[in-house]
Amino acid sequence: MYCYRKVTDDLYWVGSNDRRLAMFEGVYSVPAGVSYNSYLLLDEKTMLLDTVDKAVKGVFFENIAAVLGDRKLDYLVVHHMEPDHSEAIWEVVMRYPEVQIICNKKTANMMKQYFNFDVDSRVVLVKEGDSISTGKHNFVYVMAPMVHWPEVMVSYDTTDKILFSADGFGTFGALNGALFADEVDFERDYLDEARRYYTNIVGKYGDQVQALLKKAATLEIEMICPLHGFVWRKNIGDFIGKYMHWSSYAPEEYGVVIAYASVYGHTENAAEVLACRLRERGVRTVMFDVSVTPASDIIAAAFKYSHLVFASTTYNAGIFVNMESLIFDLVAHNIQNRTIALIENGSWAPTSGALMRKEFEKCKNMTILDNTIRIISSLQESQLPQIDALADAIAASLPQAAKKQEAPAELKEDTGKLVDPTAMFKLSYGLFVLSAKDGDKDNGCIINTVMQVTDVTKRIAIAVNKANYTHDMIKKTGVFNVSVLTTDAPFKLFQHFGFQSGRDADKFADFAESRTANGLRYVPEYSNAVISGKVIEEHEYDTHTLFIAEVTEAAVLSNTPSVTYQYYFDHIKPQPQPTTDKKGYVCKICGYIYEGETLPDDFICPLCKHGAEDFEKL
Ligand code: FEO
């Protein structure tokens, strides 16, 4: 019996579910099954969007027949040629011989590799920006290479504002009667599977996903119809936010993944001891036995958490086989921006530590802690200080707010989250160190405009003077940190970051090394919060650029009050001394004195870069 669902008045889901599949794509376990989504539009022309895997094509064709009735099928759109969506194409062509296939050139070529029917005679080729009308609906085609194969494209229905997103925005799991994400408790029951789907299927292609998201940001999207998992019609911004986060390779939460490979339990024992020492320091831990837990689950956890510990016995003079496979897979999935610690074991010639290190050295922006622990057969009591030292090193690299038991009482909710929502409460009309990085060069400047724009997803706006070097870095890299300064910040800190240019000085040279997950410096002393932003929009206003950014990380650093602009003027900035021998104007921000009868309207303070409006007559 057919089993379809209505998506809109004239759009139908005609896909199906498979709960018998042991391994999706031969490698990813799908204990809750998987859905193959296909959509059928009944407009003046009828249009089928993608097909399904051969395992479920029986009910798929029943669905098409039931929805079409006595109408013919005019178009089949092929967004993605991977067989889980294309296997039934040949049968569509046999059953509906008049159908025309809308696809791009790469797809057409692949189709010839898979099928023997005359592809050229029935394809309608589209390229970036092309559109096709079915009557009431108009579809625009957007190329999305490597999300997740090179031929992938998505389409956008400009009439109903629906994005048909191919593999993008998919989720593992059969639909169980629900079609829309808002029909289930997605965050509780499916978010982990969505993350596992993303990281394993397209995690390697973060740059390409970001490119697609950039294109999608120009569209008004009211619904997303992916090829796996639920259709999105509510809270779309939240899920897009997740994709922005995941594709940036920034961890979502502070915490330590401990993955161990242990033949007789001794390496496992060392991992357990480390986990205990970390928990005693208030650090969140999750543990996996790589011989038991599928690699796809561990990869998803590695994308979620900030710190990764790998403990492996030596096996055939190398890394234990399951651990080696996991690490190769992680490196292949482009894991980056993590802190790594290693434990090796071996009864006569331990080699796994050095070999694991070598693999992770191939990754971008990894901090591999020096103190690899070497176990000879089993952990000895004399080695417990080494475990303590490793736990100390890991705990020291986490912000205070991530260490649950040490956090102030009011921060105990939500600790461990990479974005601590309470960090937003520190924002005021205050003063901030804005930091950025270009290549090896770190820099920072003082700004006075940071505001929260949205809550779900968390976004902030910052206004930055175009004369600042940090401004140019953010323009180039799209990422920044804001350190929220406190009332105990001394004037020399404002002078240091505000009254000299990073083009001439290394402003972080004398500061202790403190970086957030995005690799940027921040100022832990005299700051009560640090907020990391990834730019999603820019607006130019004469002297300043307004950057709108998604918050990728936020942590509370202290409970000292934020400095406000007023407090700075009243209590921190030295008051200009009365002068009788100088005529001119004084900068209210930094105290610079301009000597002269008239201050030009377009004058910019050479120290703090504020304009003439911030000067007053001496
Ligand atoms: Fe769902 Fe890339 O196939």
Side-chain angles (χ1 to χ4, degrees):
M1 172 56 71
Y2 56 80
C3 180
Y4 61 80
R5 279 200 63 180
K6 232 175 168 183
V7 183
T8 65
D9 284 347
D10 52 7
L11 182 69
Y12 297 78
W13 176 83
V14 291
S16 192
N17 299 288
D18 186 353
R19 296 179 186 80
R20 287 194 168 185
L21 183 65
M23 288 289 177
F24 179 72
E25 295 187 0
V27 64
Y28 307 118
S29 58
V30 278
V34 65
S35 78
Y36 302 103
N37 298 342
S38 170
Y39 304 91
L40 181 52
L41 178 74
L42 299 185
D43 199 359
E44 289 170 27
K45 299 273 189 185
T46 59
M47 175 187 271
L48 180 67
L49 296 107
D50 294 296
T51 71
V52 296
D53 190 83
K54 62 184 172 197
V56 297
K57 67 187 168 75
V59 75
F60 165 70
F61 281 111
E62 285 189 70
N63 289 342
I64 294 174
V67 174
L68 272 182
D70 54 8
R71 295 192 62 180
K72 72 182 178 82
L73 182 63
D74 295 302
Y75 293 126
L76 164 64
V77 182
V78 180
H79 292 104
H80 183 16
M81 262 308 290
E82 194 165 9
D84 55 333
H85 310 294
S86 66
E87 197 79 51
I89 289 176
W90 70 271
E91 198 169 331
V92 170
V93 169
M94 284 204 315
R95 287 172 181 252
Y96 303 97
E98 293 174 65
V99 72
Q100 287 188 290
I101 300 177
I102 298 170
C103 65
N104 60 45
K105 199 163 189 319
K106 278 188 189 140
T107 300
N109 289 339
M110 280 189 182
M111 217 176 291
K112 292 174 194 169
Q113 295 166 196
Y114 280 102
F115 304 116
N116 290 322
F117 65 81
D118 181 3
V119 171
D120 289 332
S121 67
R122 62 177 67 246
V123 292
V124 178
L125 292 179
V126 290
K127 54 187 186 322
E128 177 82 16
D130 283 355
S131 63
I132 286 181
S133 172
T134 53
K136 180 182 148 200
H137 294 266
N138 184 57
F139 292 84
V140 177
Y141 296 93
V142 176
M143 302 303 124
M146 301 320 296
V147 188
H148 126 251
W149 276 18
E151 87 297 355
V152 171
M153 67 179 191
V154 300
S155 60
Y156 177 65
D157 173 1
T158 59
T159 309
D160 280 354
K161 301 182 174 28
I162 300 175
L163 180 69
F164 294 90
S165 60
D167 272 343
F169 303 105
T171 304
F172 283 141
L175 296 179
N176 305 331
L179 175 61
F180 300 99
D182 55 89
E183 293 177 312
V184 297
D185 189 334
F186 188 84
E187 177 135 10
R188 186 191 65 194
D189 298 332
Y190 291 93
L191 181 58
D192 285 346
E193 282 297 82
R195 182 187 299 102
R196 190 167 72 89
Y197 172 91
Y198 170 83
T199 53
N200 286 280
I201 303 296
V202 283
K204 179 180 174 64
Y205 303 109
D207 290 345
Q208 289 82 354
V209 172
Q210 295 253 321
L212 176 60
L213 292 172
K214 216 169 177 179
K215 291 178 185 176
T218 63
L219 306 173
E220 187 184 345
I221 298 171
E222 291 187 357
M223 190 178 285
I224 297 178
C225 291
L227 289 179
H228 300 285
F230 299 104
V231 170
W232 287 81
R233 62 183 176 186
K234 291 182 183 171
N235 304 322
I236 290 174
D238 289 357
F239 202 41
I240 291 177
K242 286 289 177 197
Y243 262 64
M244 290 184 77
H245 196 111
W246 295 334
S247 57
S248 73
Y249 299 102
E252 282 174 275
E253 297 191 16
Y254 290 115
V256 182
V257 172
I258 302 176
Y260 63 88
S262 188
V263 179
Y264 295 108
H266 298 101
T267 310
E268 178 187 28
N269 172 249
E272 293 274 15
V273 174
L274 176 64
C276 290
R277 298 295 86 81
L278 286 168
R279 282 284 172 174
E280 285 164 4
R281 286 159 175 77
V283 176
R284 176 180 297 194
T285 52
V286 288
M287 295 187 72
F288 299 102
D289 183 332
V290 301
S291 299
V292 175
T293 305
S296 65
D297 291 80
I298 308 175
I299 288 172
F303 270 70
K304 180 176 180 181
Y305 289 103
S306 58
H307 289 58
L308 313 176
V309 176
F310 298 91
S312 179
T313 189
T314 299
Y315 191 77
N316 288 335
I319 307 168
F320 185 77
V321 57
N322 294 43
M323 179 65 87
E324 182 178 65
S325 161
L326 169 69
I327 291 175
F328 282 2
D329 218 5
L330 263 174
V331 173
H333 279 82
N334 226 350
I335 188 80
Q336 50 191 275
N337 303 325
R338 299 295 189 275
T339 298
I340 304 271
L342 302 168
I343 299 174
E344 66 175 355
N345 194 358
S347 289
W348 57 93
T351 60
S352 55
L355 293 171
M356 290 190 289
R357 178 178 293 269
K358 202 169 152 195
E359 289 307 310
F360 287 116
E361 282 172 350
K362 296 173 185 169
C363 303
K364 286 186 205 160
N365 199 26
M366 289 295 202
T367 303
I368 307 177
L369 298 179
D370 290 333
N371 34 348
T372 295
I373 292 178
R374 168 171 288 189
I375 301 163
I376 305 297
S377 297
S378 64
L379 186 68
Q380 302 298 305
E381 187 145 18
S382 60
Q383 290 187 287
L384 292 179
Q386 290 178 42
I387 299 275
D388 275 322
L390 180 56
D392 281 339
I394 292 170
S397 65
L398 289 161
Q400 183 73 7
K403 287 172 263 181
K404 191 171 183 179
Q405 287 155 17
E406 293 174 22
E410 68 269 28
L411 301 181
K412 284 191 176 172
E413 290 303 312
D414 247 334
T415 51
K417 294 276 184 195
L418 204 62
V419 176
D420 178 347
T422 62
M424 300 294 152
F425 304 163
K426 305 294 182 184
L427 295 177
S428 67
Y429 185 43
L431 288 155
F432 313 87
V433 172
L434 175 71
S435 48
K437 185 171 189 260
D438 183 13
D440 293 333
K441 174 83 175 175
D442 293 294
N443 193 42
C445 67
I446 300 284
I447 59 170
N448 59 14
T449 310
V450 179
M451 64 177 283
Q452 185 174 350
V453 179
T454 59
D455 188 39
V456 181
T457 301
K458 288 198 166 36
R459 300 183 183 92
I460 57 172
I462 60 170
V464 191
N465 193 307
K466 292 178 180 174
N468 284 327
Y469 184 31
T470 314
H471 170 276
D472 297 348
M473 286 179 160
I474 297 171
K475 274 270 185 189
K476 188 170 171 187
T477 63
V479 286
F480 61 82
N481 278 351
V482 170
S483 300
V484 183
L485 295 175
T486 50
T487 50
D488 57 0
F491 184 60
K492 67 177 183 190
L493 187 80
F494 295 91
Q495 287 178 302
H496 183 80
F497 281 104
F499 303 169
Q500 60 178 340
S501 171
R503 293 186 178 90
D504 314 317
D506 180 357
K507 295 188 188 179
F508 278 100
D510 297 327
F511 283 74
E513 179 87 6
S514 296
R515 294 186 188 273
T516 47
N518 59 11
L520 303 189
R521 302 290 296 263
Y522 67 105
V523 183
E525 201 179 5
Y526 307 121
S527 299
N528 58 21
V530 58
I531 300 170
S532 301
K534 183 171 177 54
V535 175
I536 52 175
E537 270 182 48
E538 297 177 17
H539 302 274
E540 305 293 336
Y541 297 103
D542 304 325
T543 56
H544 285 65
T545 300
L546 184 70
F547 294 101
I548 312 292
E550 187 191 351
V551 174
T552 57
E553 184 173 0
V556 172
L557 304 175
S558 82
N559 284 328
T560 310
S562 304
V563 63
T564 63
Y565 215 48
Q566 184 71 47
Y567 187 94
Y568 169 78
F569 283 113
D570 292 347
H571 301 286
I572 298 177
K573 188 177 88 67
Q575 301 302 312
Q577 296 302 307
T579 173
T580 53
D581 56 348
K582 282 189 178 173
K583 282 189 178 165
Y585 297 80
V586 61
C587 176
K588 292 185 286 184
I589 308 300
C590 69
Y592 172 82
I593 291 175
Y594 171 86
E595 292 186 49
E597 289 292 337
T598 310
L599 181 71
D601 289 343
D602 59 354
F603 187 75
I604 301 288
C605 176
L607 290 184
C608 68
K609 309 293 187 296
H610 279 241
E613 68 279 6
D614 285 319
F615 279 70
E616 62 187 7
K617 212 167 191 325
L618 284 170

